[in-house]
Amino acid sequence: MVAEGALLWEPTPSVVANARITRYLSGVGRADYDDAWQWSVENPEEFWTSIWDYFGVIGERGDGPVMTGTMPGVEWFTGSSLNYAENALSREDGTAVIFHAEDGTRRVITMAELREEVARVRRGLARLGVGKGDRVAGYLPNIPEALVAFLATASLGAIWSAGSPDFGVPSIVDRFTQIEPKVLIAVDGYRYGGKSFDRSAAVGEIVAALPSLRATVWIPYLAAAPGGRPPRPAEPAAPGAEHPAPAAALPQGEVLGWEGLRAEEGPLEFERVPFDHPLWILYSSGTTGLPKPIVHGHGGVVLEHLKSLSFHQDLGKGDVFFWYTTTGWMMWNYLIGGLLVGSTVVLYDGAPTDLWAIAAAENVTYFGTGAPYIVSCMKADKRPAGLTALKGIGSTGSPLPPEGFAWLTEVLPGVPVGSFSGGTDVCTGFVGATPLHPIRAGVIPCRSLGARVESFDPAGEPVIGEVGELVLTRPMPSMPVMFWNDPSGERYRDSYFDVYPGVWRHGDWIKIDQDGSCVIYGRSDSTLNRGGVRMGTSEFYRVVERFPEIADSLVIDTGQLGQEGRLLLYVTLAEGEVTPELEARLKAALREELSPRHVPNEIIAVPGIPRTLSGKKLEVPVRKILLGTPVEQAANRDAMANPEVLQHFKP
């Protein structure tokens, strides 16, 4: 075990002097980070105006007020206009994108080439009738065509939405039927773990469920791979040529291939839109009920990503940015934001077999991934090598235990480890790191600039040094501009403002210390409450998953209001079975390191822990199942990575 808070890294005077945030603080006359954070949350109008001006955002700022109204009805930069794509494609030289696939494919795309491709696809989308406010949906892996299609969509003032092709058909239909896209862009299949998965029939089912479609565009991704299956639709020779239908005819509108979409050259133009004009639609996990379609605006995303990537990740021109993600996770949207600050972005499609090797080969300067990947490398002692250009590592998705911090510090000495926490809801982090802050095991160094994060006790009062509800008491411009098909805003208000009126409740447990550093303890709706002692599940997993015999785990407290329940620990074993000796060691460790109250009533071996498609443990749905909710009602199987394991959690 590594002590939470143990000092692992401190910035040198050189790191501080050369950090991008240092230059910004000097420019706005702030003494240090704490001074800047206090100013940013007490004077949001001044702070966000400084971000617009400091980065020279392309667009018209207008004469309207910077901020009007209160949460959840805040309006930002009234009268302004801009376009995300215009800002992302503002430079004309250098490398924009490096793409890797698990089969060894590598592509390098210059900024000039990216601009040309966006212009071509923009013209193709316009030819299909896509314009301002229309929706374009992508059923795409993390490939350059997904980025090009998004930027072309945004350049028109149209609205992008994506799902990864490993999503099941019902999961995609649940998402896309809500937003009624005009065009669907899809691959014929994808590769993962050395296997090819044909999705052409699935695309046919998706198209049949979307009567709003005017056209379907096919990308022959598998056909381009050795031994891959050919796409069902043939490629048209040129715009206006006959577009043959696939073998199983698609019922909705025109069918064409990617080459047909991009066949005509066109000028690279940008439709400037109001600050809060919808840019993309992201989705909640949808593990229970329909996924919430979360709409973010052009302006909020541009300002937030400029700030966060520059000051918290220390990224800019000349940097190479790589975060392991799929198009179905908000980290894809965050990754491509690297273009806004002039960085080269690395896209990777495939299984996470050796992400370190890609980072080393491409001289990545900032690498990010989910905490489970770091923990799995630590357990397997899979040590990175050759990362000579690396200046920072990011971790998100779930809390990184102190041991993960310490291991990374050991195998990558001198490289700070930044743990970040935020969400799809704001497409950024509320709390994170900067080059100015020391790194301590298991601790997130600071609250992000412009994010007034507080910890509320049950009475709704802010507390320091105690675990409470993570809330935001001031607005951020990247908060959703709305939920799609929620004209009254009721669904939006119920999602974040139902507990504390006018205060955003995020649903995480957080402890904030006097110096502004914090620790995230997991979801507050899956907390462990034993004998009145509340504890986040992350503390439990930290103890259990340290055991080499345990590959994964899930802990559930079945207690209800006023009634003590059973504490059940489910484990997936690396090998073997739960022996009396292993059970005794597990219980002893939990008793000693947590408390006697947190010794599980039962330890149960299961073949897998249920997770969402983005890798998060399904604690709440499993708890519902244990309390009597039928499996089919407790969780949306199509929003899961491994729905087959749910049956093992029936009471």
Side-chain angles (χ1 to χ4, degrees), residues 204-495:
E205 293 181 54
I206 293 166
V207 170
L210 298 174
S212 60
L213 287 179
R214 294 268 291 271
T216 300
V217 179
W218 286 80
I219 298 175
Y221 187 43
L222 280 190
R229 296 170 62 99
R232 290 189 174 186
E235 283 286 356
E242 193 69 26
H243 299 325
L250 299 175
Q252 318 291 3
E254 184 178 358
V255 178
L256 69 157
W258 180 257
E259 290 303 316
L261 181 69
R262 63 170 296 279
E264 289 186 6
E265 294 182 357
L268 183 58
E269 298 175 331
F270 305 97
E271 176 77 21
R272 291 188 181 176
V273 293
F275 189 90
D276 61 356
H277 181 78
L279 170 64
W280 53 48
I281 301 173
L282 307 182
Y283 301 90
S284 64
S285 60
T287 51
T288 56
L290 282 177
K292 296 189 290 285
I294 301 168
V295 184
H296 294 117
H298 279 248
V301 170
V302 167
L303 291 188
E304 174 59 39
H305 286 185
L306 284 171
K307 175 215 75 176
S308 190
L309 289 162
S310 295
F311 300 153
H312 293 279
Q313 263 80 38
D314 198 34
L315 287 165
K317 193 170 182 179
D319 283 307
V320 182
F321 182 34
F322 175 30
W323 204 293
Y324 178 62
T325 180
T326 70
T327 58
W329 187 22
M330 59 136 290
M331 290 310 300
W332 182 84
N333 306 74
Y334 191 77
L335 166 65
I336 62 175
L339 296 174
L340 291 169
V341 297
S343 297
T344 298
V345 297
V346 177
L347 309 179
Y348 171 67
D349 176 45
T353 50
D354 196 350
L355 304 179
W356 304 118
I358 296 172
E362 301 301 345
N363 291 315
V364 165
T365 56
Y366 197 98
F367 169 65
T369 184
Y373 179 74
I374 295 171
V375 172
S376 68
C377 289
M378 176 180 69
K379 285 193 165 191
D381 201 24
K382 190 174 185 177
R383 295 174 173 242
L387 295 170
T388 55
L390 196 68
K391 64 180 184 181
I393 291 180
S395 171
T396 193
S398 59
L400 181 66
E403 292 74 22
F405 280 79
W407 180 78
L408 284 172
T409 301
E410 176 192 343
V411 297
L412 291 168
V415 178
V417 181
S419 181
F420 294 82
S421 185
T424 301
D425 322 78
V426 289
C427 204
T428 190
F430 295 128
V431 294
T434 76
L436 310 183
H437 287 88
I439 301 300
R440 302 179 185 277
V443 176
I444 298 175
C446 64
R447 292 171 283 186
S448 299
L449 290 175
R452 183 147 199 164
V453 175
E454 298 191 62
S455 176
F456 270 16
D457 67 14
E461 296 296 327
V463 292
I464 295 293
E466 299 177 24
V467 177
E469 288 275 3
L470 190 161
V471 300
L472 278 92
T473 55
R474 291 287 178 91
M476 296 170 61
S478 68
M479 285 176 172
V481 297
M482 60 178 175
F483 286 176
W484 198 259
N485 288 334
D486 182 30
S488 69
E490 180 179 1
R491 196 179 182 196
Y492 177 42
R493 289 192 299 273
D494 287 348
S495 295

Side-chain angles (χ1 to χ4, degrees), residues 173-207:
V173 169
D174 283 349
R175 286 160 167 76
F176 290 169
T177 52
Q178 295 186 73
I179 67 169
E180 300 178 302
K182 182 175 280 189
V183 173
L184 174 69
I185 303 174
V187 287
D188 58 340
Y190 68 97
R191 295 179 296 276
Y192 189 89
K195 297 179 181 179
S196 294
F197 298 87
D198 182 6
R199 302 302 286 163
S200 52
V203 174
E205 293 181 54
I206 293 166
V207 170

Side-chain angles (χ1 to χ4, degrees), residues 120 126 169 185 188 205 252 433 450 456 520 525 587 621 649:
R120 284 176 172 272
V169 170
I185 303 174
D188 58 340
E205 293 181 54
Q252 318 291 3
F456 270 16
I520 300 288
D525 50 10
K587 288 184 175 181
F649 296 85

